[in-house]
Amino acid sequence: MSQGEPILLQDHAALAAALPGARHPAVAARRAEAADRFRRLGLPHARVEAWKYTRLKDLEALPFARAEAVPATAVPDIGLGAVAARVLLVNGRFDAAASELPAVPGLTVRSLKDCLEAGDAAVLELLDRDVDETQAPLAALAGAWLEDGAVLSVDAGVAVDLPVEVVCLAVPGEGPRIAFPRLAVMLGEGASLTLVERFHGPADAVYAVDAATDIAMGAGAALNHYVLQAEGAAATHVSAARCDVPANGRYEGFILQLGGHVARRETRLRMMGAGGDAKLNGAYAATDDAVCDTTTEIRHVAAETTTDQVFKGILDDRSRGVFQGRVNVQRDAQRIVGNQLHNALLLSRKAEVDCKPELLIYADDVKCSHGATCGELSEEEIFYLRSRGIDAATARSLLLEAFLGAAIDLIGNPPVKAAFAARAAEWLALRGVA
Amino acid sequence: MANGLVIKDLHVNVGEREILKGISLSVEPGKVHAIMGPNGSGKSTLAHVISGRPGYEVTGGSVEFNGVDVLEMEPEERAAAGLFLAFQYPVEIPGVTNTVFLKTALNAQRKARGEAEMDPMAFLKFLRDKAKLLQLRDEMLKRPLNVGFSGGEKKRNEMLQMAVLEPKLAILDETDSGLDIDALRIVAEGVNAQRSPERSFLVITHYQRLLDYIVPDVVHVLAHGRIVETGDADLARRLEKTGYADYTPAA
């Protein structure tokens, strides 16, 4: 591609010297190393298998600059009700004034900026966990600009009852801007937390978000991790979550993607100890020429671990859905269970879905399954509803809501389930998808 | 004009093939008409055309309900006008609960007729009372529509929908098929409980058995797309003995 410094790394060396914690060699070296990695990798291209179906065409075409530090704009409410804390990241930067941070016993919320300034070893270690670098050019880019975000910690044995919300709000400036929200979550042994991560931005501004969430769990910890991606229709969104699920740990994830021009959510789970259980489910819907990508990678490292994935997507107009689900069972991971299901509904002749389930099994005593379907709304079902007096448009939206609802119903936390169901229904009604 | 269902010289094609070849029939309010006939005679086609299922081409004739041209109406408009079809094969709809479905349907019809929507608490009580009559457990009202229901439960659920929607004309399309004798009796009792001077029924069946329980005022025999004989309940009993052999064409 282009010679010389990539535009996304413009003035990196000079600017990095002023970023938080630059005086700590570990922090500075990390940024420099990540920048080198991004120079080597460049933006993902079709020859990289992991990015074969999703091109970041807006990032390639337009001169994106790092988003400025700006004040918060209004945060959309999703009707979640009471929360333990609401953390607001504006263009990736921790906005303490606009956040709600009441004292909750056992829960600590810090800005990543403060942790970097302090050279916090535990946080750095979590951010540094091995990344398969050929797969992760956007992680390299975010690493080069590592600046701020939120760090949540829950003490051992503490159950935080109400959800903690982390809202990543994009506030674009003049011209295309890219933000790098960063979230680190540390649960002590036996701790439990419900985390709602959500992404919002203006409807028509061109902006990009390159986000990452790193999660560390102590033995027996439990995390409900719910993600709402509701970026504006012209946004590029790439985010990745990584979590090691320990022995007897429980991870329940749900990803609802309803926004973005090009959006990709990656989730990488490693099942590290016996008795670890992960459920990773999601729903998505796209219209116009949007691309919505859900990529999951589950690695069964230890024996006697269980994972289950259910994803449902609706594609209208010329939109395209991508589902890449890899389940990797390592040699010693005997007696594991790994199930995966992806169902897509195409509402238009020009809509498309690319589905790539991958099972890589190196153990010989496992139960694994995967299923993928792709279809249209059933005329039979529509007629049945119409014959009872329900008009055609209402019949279609009932069926679409029901289709996504089958996944949303898997959310274990009732207020989150209700909020996500309402959000999906509102989206379907607003877009006139039917 | 409450003169019920009036079908005149109805011709219907599916693709190139003519299935109904000139059907004329009138069902007055309060009456129960049965349509019997061998397989492939066009019984279900008639039910589908009256209810507006896509895939049928009306090439001639008319269907009016209380003076209004039914063939010009969308399926949901026909429902709001008081037509109801109990499906031979009720459709399973995962993700939409029976209760939500019935409430949406009833309120859509009421709205179309310019009536107020029923309030949720009143609706629930109304629904439970109807379900009790059909021996449907409360739990089935919370389940997704027809999903995991047995054949008999599906048919009883059709009767529940009829009881809730209170149509002026109900068409039962082989509601007896696949029912054991107990389910048949429950379904028939459900129908009989709803017989009234205002409500008429068009009962489509292959067998006479259902008509032991739902005694019709008029019986028509449909064969090869035409009504070949019309009589009273005795005609059905006679058919039980002789079968449809008399109506098969000389080859």
Side-chain angles (χ1 to χ4, degrees):
Chain A
M1 286 238 264
S2 62
Q3 300 297 306
E5 190 75 340
I7 199 154
L8 285 161
L9 285 180
Q10 210 156 28
D11 300 326
H12 182 262
L15 293 170
L19 289 174
R23 68 196 164 84
H24 299 291
V27 176
R30 184 182 202 289
R31 288 196 185 105
E33 181 277 326
D36 276 344
R37 205 150 28 99
F38 185 72
R39 283 185 194 99
R40 207 163 58 239
L41 294 168
L43 285 171
H45 46 76
R47 277 163 295 145
V48 179
E49 180 62 23
W51 286 88
K52 191 173 169 186
Y53 302 104
T54 302
R55 287 291 292 271
L56 302 175
K57 48 196 179 209
D58 297 334
L59 271 187
E60 288 167 15
L62 300 169
F64 275 84
R66 201 156 58 103
E68 292 85 353
V70 291
T73 53
V75 178
D77 183 30
I78 60 164
L80 204 53
V83 293
R86 177 175 290 119
V87 179
L88 187 58
L89 302 181
V90 183
N91 286 347
R93 296 176 184 89
F94 192 101
D95 187 332
S99 299
E100 294 166 38
L101 304 168
V104 176
L107 170 70
T108 311
V109 179
R110 291 173 290 170
S111 78
L112 179 59
K113 184 181 171 187
D114 290 346
C115 296
L116 291 171
E117 297 281 18
D120 188 303
V123 171
L124 282 175
E125 190 191 343
L126 178 56
L127 301 185
D128 267 339
R129 236 174 25 196
D130 57 340
V131 180
D132 178 353
E133 56 177 59
T134 58
Q135 310 263 325
L138 276 289
L141 182 64
W145 293 114
L146 180 67
E147 177 185 351
D148 202 356
V151 179
L152 309 178
S153 325
V154 180
D155 295 345
V158 171
V160 179
D161 291 329
L162 292 171
V164 172
E165 267 199 305
V166 176
V167 182
C168 295
L169 190 65
V171 182
E174 305 263 319
R177 292 291 184 271
I178 181 166
F180 303 99
R182 193 77 200 236
L183 178 59
V185 180
M186 295 184 278
L187 303 188
E189 275 188 26
S192 64
L193 177 70
T194 293
L195 168 64
V196 178
E197 221 185 309
R198 52 188 177 101
F199 296 89
H200 299 271
D204 39 20
V206 175
Y207 67 90
V209 172
D210 176 5
T213 299
D214 293 280
I215 301 160
M217 292 167 75
L223 178 66
N224 295 331
H225 185 196
Y226 305 122
V227 179
L228 170 64
Q229 185 273 98
E231 306 279 17
T236 295
H237 172 102
V238 178
S239 65
R242 295 189 290 157
C243 178
D244 285 353
V245 180
N248 298 317
R250 195 185 59 73
Y251 176 91
E252 187 208 308
F254 193 92
I255 301 160
L256 179 61
Q257 294 210 76
L258 299 173
H261 185 222
V262 176
R264 167 159 161 143
R265 176 77 186 183
E266 302 178 3
T267 308
R268 293 179 208 288
L269 304 177
R270 294 193 298 191
M271 308 306 292
M272 305 301 288
D277 175 69
K279 291 183 177 55
L280 180 57
N281 306 313
Y284 62 88
T287 55
D288 300 315
D289 65 341
V291 176
C292 185
D293 176 334
T294 304
T295 292
T296 70
E297 185 185 310
I298 292 181
R299 194 174 279 270
H300 287 268
V301 176
E304 289 164 12
T305 51
T306 52
T307 64
D308 200 7
Q309 302 183 71
V310 175
F311 285 87
K312 311 258 179 193
I314 295 176
L315 288 317
D316 199 5
D317 303 325
R318 291 157 294 141
S319 68
R320 202 153 57 78
V322 178
F323 178 78
Q324 307 186 100
R326 177 185 293 173
V327 176
N328 185 320
V329 183
Q330 293 190 187
R331 206 162 50 95
D332 297 329
Q334 303 292 3
R335 299 175 301 282
I336 66 99
V337 178
N339 296 316
Q340 181 190 89
L341 181 67
H342 175 251
N343 305 125
L345 264 188
L346 302 184
L347 302 184
S348 130
R349 297 248 165 242
K350 290 184 174 160
E352 181 182 323
V353 64
D354 298 297
C355 176
K356 191 174 78 170
E358 278 182 284
L359 295 180
L360 302 167
I361 302 173
Y362 301 100
D364 55 18
D365 180 13
V366 305
K367 278 187 200 154
C368 283
S369 72
H370 71 86
T373 65
C374 171
E376 299 172 0
L377 268 184
S378 150
E379 287 301 324
E380 187 76 17
E381 293 177 9
I382 292 170
F383 175 68
Y384 191 58
L385 296 176
R386 292 182 75 187
S387 78
R388 299 299 182 247
I390 299 170
D391 67 80
T394 307
R396 289 199 179 88
S397 62
L398 259 181
L399 293 174
L400 293 177
E401 269 181 60
F403 179 78
L404 295 184
I408 293 172
D409 274 348
L410 299 170
I411 295 175
N413 181 287
V416 175
K417 185 198 292 189
F420 277 27
R423 189 82 195 180
E426 183 194 356
W427 189 93
L428 291 171
L430 220 71
R431 299 298 166 107
V433 175
Chain B
M1 243 196 343
N3 55 355
L5 180 73
V6 179
I7 301 173
K8 284 185 187 153
D9 196 27
L10 183 67
H11 290 256
V12 173
N13 278 21
V14 174
E16 293 295 298
R17 206 164 136 239
E18 187 169 48
I19 305 292
L20 298 184
K21 302 167 182 169
I23 302 271
S24 294
L25 178 70
S26 293
V27 184
E28 305 81 18
K31 299 293 183 190
V32 175
H33 284 226
I35 295 188
M36 302 183 69
N39 288 328
S41 58
K43 301 188 301 288
S44 285
T45 297
L46 180 62
H48 292 162
V49 168
I50 298 170
S51 60
R53 179 192 284 267
Y56 298 91
E57 187 195 353
V58 176
T59 56
S62 64
V63 179
E64 288 186 2
F65 186 60
N66 292 339
V68 182
D69 181 357
V70 165
L71 299 176
E72 285 299 307
M73 299 162 92
E74 297 293 340
E76 57 270 28
E77 294 170 334
R78 301 181 197 204
L83 294 177
F84 177 88
L85 171 65
F87 281 52
Q88 185 178 2
Y89 303 107
V91 179
E92 296 187 5
I93 303 190
V96 178
T97 66
N98 226 352
T99 302
V100 166
F101 162 69
L102 280 166
K103 192 165 65 184
T104 309
L106 178 64
N107 283 332
Q109 290 199 17
R110 292 173 76 113
K111 200 174 156 200
R113 292 193 292 258
E115 299 163 13
E117 295 194 356
M118 199 183 258
D119 91 55
M121 294 312 290
F123 174 77
L124 275 183
K125 183 175 183 324
F126 172 73
L127 178 60
R128 284 210 190 98
D129 290 347
K130 301 285 186 187
K132 206 170 286 169
L133 286 176
L134 288 156
Q135 303 183 24
L136 281 164
R137 284 163 288 128
D138 270 9
E139 177 256 335
M140 289 178 63
L141 302 175
K142 294 176 197 142
R143 292 226 309 250
L145 183 52
N146 291 328
V147 176
F149 288 24
S150 71
E153 286 172 332
K154 282 181 184 169
K155 296 298 175 72
R156 272 189 277 155
N157 204 33
E158 293 290 288
M159 294 301 100
L160 174 67
Q161 294 172 29
M162 179 171 79
V164 167
L165 298 172
E166 301 179 318
K168 294 183 186 132
L169 169 70
I171 303 165
L172 275 51
D173 185 8
E174 304 212 12
T175 295
D176 50 341
S177 69
L179 291 191
D180 61 32
I181 201 75
D182 293 327
L184 190 74
R185 196 180 301 120
I186 294 168
V187 164
E189 281 166 6
V191 171
N192 287 332
Q194 291 183 64
R195 287 178 79 156
S196 82
E198 294 79 36
R199 184 169 297 133
S200 46
F201 292 84
L202 194 55
V203 180
I204 292 172
T205 180
H206 187 79
Y207 302 103
Q208 190 262 341
R209 199 176 57 174
L210 178 65
L211 305 180
D212 283 342
Y213 298 98
I214 307 171
V215 180
D217 299 300
V218 183
V219 175
H220 309 272
V221 180
L222 187 62
H224 310 289
R226 292 192 178 88
I227 290 177
V228 291
E229 192 166 358
T230 296
D232 58 16
D234 286 338
L235 173 57
R237 282 178 212 117
R238 200 188 81 213
L239 283 171
E240 182 71 4
K241 292 201 184 74
T242 61
Y244 295 110
D246 291 354
Y247 306 107
T248 46

